[in-house]
Amino acid sequence: MKALFKSVNLIGDALYVGPALRAWIKQQKEPVSIWMWTLNDHVAPLYAGMVRDLDVDFHTCFEAPVDQVPDFKHTFDVNAAFKLSDQKKQHLAKSYADLLGVEIGDQKSDLKPIYIPVDDGTVPLKEDLVNSLEGCILVSMFSASCTGRDPKCNYIPNKMLPWEKWKPMLDFLRIHFPETPIRFLGAPTDETPSILGGYGVTMLGIPLNRLALIMHSAKLLVTIDNGMSHLGASQELCTYLMYPKALGLHYILPIGNPNLVFVHMNPVTVDPAYLLNGLQYAVGKFEKTVWIGKQIKGLSPAMRRVLKEIDK
């Protein structure tokens, strides 16, 4: 069976195609050959990673293949999915599935974005940025969507935070984790303030597969609602997310990430102290759950019991 899917979406919108696509593949009773028609951009490699563990013949194309006559065609239309999400007050992943005619379940884990990175041995980073990335803190301050670049919104951001609201959180991270490297993520076109150099190193335009590998072993992601929050969710990275009031909580919150702490805020009016308190809570929670588990892995049963008693 030959199937042609079309998806022209940004990172976050694209990643939530995964649960529906995987469910569709699994319900087929014969071998499937899939062509994913998308843009020739940084998002394109995500689709193959959504189904890398499944027994499926998968191809990515940047125009409709002229030599293939599909038995099935479907477009993952994010606008239609968001409209359905608004009507049913349900997650984007669930709406994609409804529009495709498949069931994905209602548990949080069913809504987790799927991306399986492949370690191809390539490191498209300068050597000084590669060193000590394991256990690093990632910070993502930018968004390519709904960021107030539209004059109809009077250029008031509804996702991105002004610098002065980031500074208390960065000061806390630098003091609380003095030996942990901080890396600032962004697109090649993002303009980063020079003052960030006092906190960490900027990494712009990192290929998403490589970035997913970095996230898989990172310590923490501090981010607004953008593609990084969803790519991090696919790796179950400990994440503190500042989710905008412009979006309802049912739309695209990465609730499939079991290691998520979020605040729902308006970036224009939110008090920086509120954001800092949320980050401090997230760090405290991860220290008592996720990170302590990693620290005691491999210790003797007796030492594990001692550390857990101390943690109480």
Side-chain angles (χ1 to χ4, degrees), residues 117-122 209-210 213:
V118 55
D119 190 352
D120 56 8
T122 61
N209 181 75
R210 177 61 185 168
L213 290 169

Side-chain angles (χ1 to χ4, degrees), residues 11 140 185-186 208 211 215 221 223-224 226-233:
I11 297 172
S140 184
L185 305 177
L208 295 181
L211 192 51
M215 288 178 164
L221 171 65
T223 184
I224 61 170
N226 57 21
M228 297 302 94
S229 66
H230 305 293
L231 188 64

Side-chain angles (χ1 to χ4, degrees), residues 176-248:
H176 196 76
F177 302 103
E179 304 300 323
T180 302
I182 296 177
R183 298 293 183 262
F184 296 97
L185 305 177
T189 54
D190 287 326
E191 298 181 4
T192 58
S194 58
I195 195 170
L196 293 183
Y199 295 94
V201 176
T202 299
M203 299 197 310
L204 302 181
I206 307 302
L208 295 181
N209 181 75
R210 177 61 185 168
L211 192 51
L213 290 169
I214 293 172
M215 288 178 164
H216 191 71
S217 61
K219 187 180 191 71
L220 174 68
L221 171 65
V222 181
T223 184
I224 61 170
D225 174 56
N226 57 21
M228 297 302 94
S229 66
H230 305 293
L231 188 64
S234 75
Q235 306 305 305
E236 298 189 359
L237 172 58
C238 292
T239 299
Y240 174 56
L241 168 62
M242 290 159 283
Y243 188 81
K245 288 284 189 179
L247 291 175

